Amino acid sequence: MAVSAELLAQRVAARVIDIVVQAVDINALLQLVDLNALVKRVDVNTPLKQVDLNALLRQVDVNDVVARIDMERLVAQTDLGAIIARSTGGIVTEAMDSARSSAVRLDKRIDRWMTRLLRRKDPGPLAPRALLGLEAQP
């Protein structure tokens, strides 16, 4: 009789558990869980320390993995023209900035020489009148 009572108790427990699981709203239950607090408690390094990467890598044939890469498809999906244009555009921009800076330095040097050569006491305006907002003045 003890065996049948135990068997009956197991069946009742299994049925109760099934009813409870069916009645629980998983989405409502998950809204009650603070996932940030849960994630903070997880130490990711612990399982990683148990993995022997060297043993794992010894099982992998790197040449086989590389051989599986479809380079033509990869290149086709990559917009190399845009990459080249961006990189050369940056180089051209830097070269133009450098050339402009050199031209400004040369212009200033020539201006100083001409000021000395002509023995001017007034160095003159720093920029053309239109840029200084002096176009109305004589």
Side-chain angles (χ1 to χ4, degrees), residues 10-68:
Q10 286 179 350
R11 287 182 182 170
V12 169
R15 181 68 182 132
V16 168
I17 290 172
D18 186 43
I19 291 170
V20 169
V21 167
Q22 295 298 326
V24 171
D25 182 4
I26 298 294
N27 292 325
L29 183 63
L30 287 175
Q31 287 179 352
L32 299 174
V33 176
D34 183 4
L35 290 177
N36 290 328
L38 185 64
V39 169
K40 285 181 184 177
R41 295 175 56 191
V42 175
D43 182 14
V44 178
N45 291 322
T46 300
L48 290 177
K49 289 177 185 175
Q50 296 173 0
V51 175
D52 184 3
L53 289 178
N54 292 325
L56 184 65
L57 289 174
R58 279 193 295 270
Q59 295 175 2
V60 177
D61 183 10
V62 176
N63 291 329
D64 183 47
V65 172
V66 171
R68 293 181 190 182

Side-chain angles (χ1 to χ4, degrees), residues 68-122:
R68 293 181 190 182
I69 297 173
D70 185 359
M71 292 303 290
E72 290 179 15
R73 182 174 169 208
L74 183 65
V75 169
Q77 292 177 351
T78 305
D79 190 2
L80 290 177
I83 293 171
I84 292 169
R86 259 188 269 136
S87 63
T88 55
I91 293 169
V92 169
T93 300
E94 288 179 25
M96 291 297 293
D97 287 345
S98 177
R100 287 183 188 117
S101 296
S102 296
V104 168
R105 284 192 302 271
L106 180 62
D107 186 50
K108 287 181 179 180
R109 188 170 290 147
I110 291 171
D111 184 54
R112 281 194 307 265
W113 289 342
M114 291 306 295
T115 301
R116 286 182 188 159
L117 181 66
L118 298 174
R119 297 180 183 181
R120 293 181 184 156
K121 295 189 188 223
D122 181 24

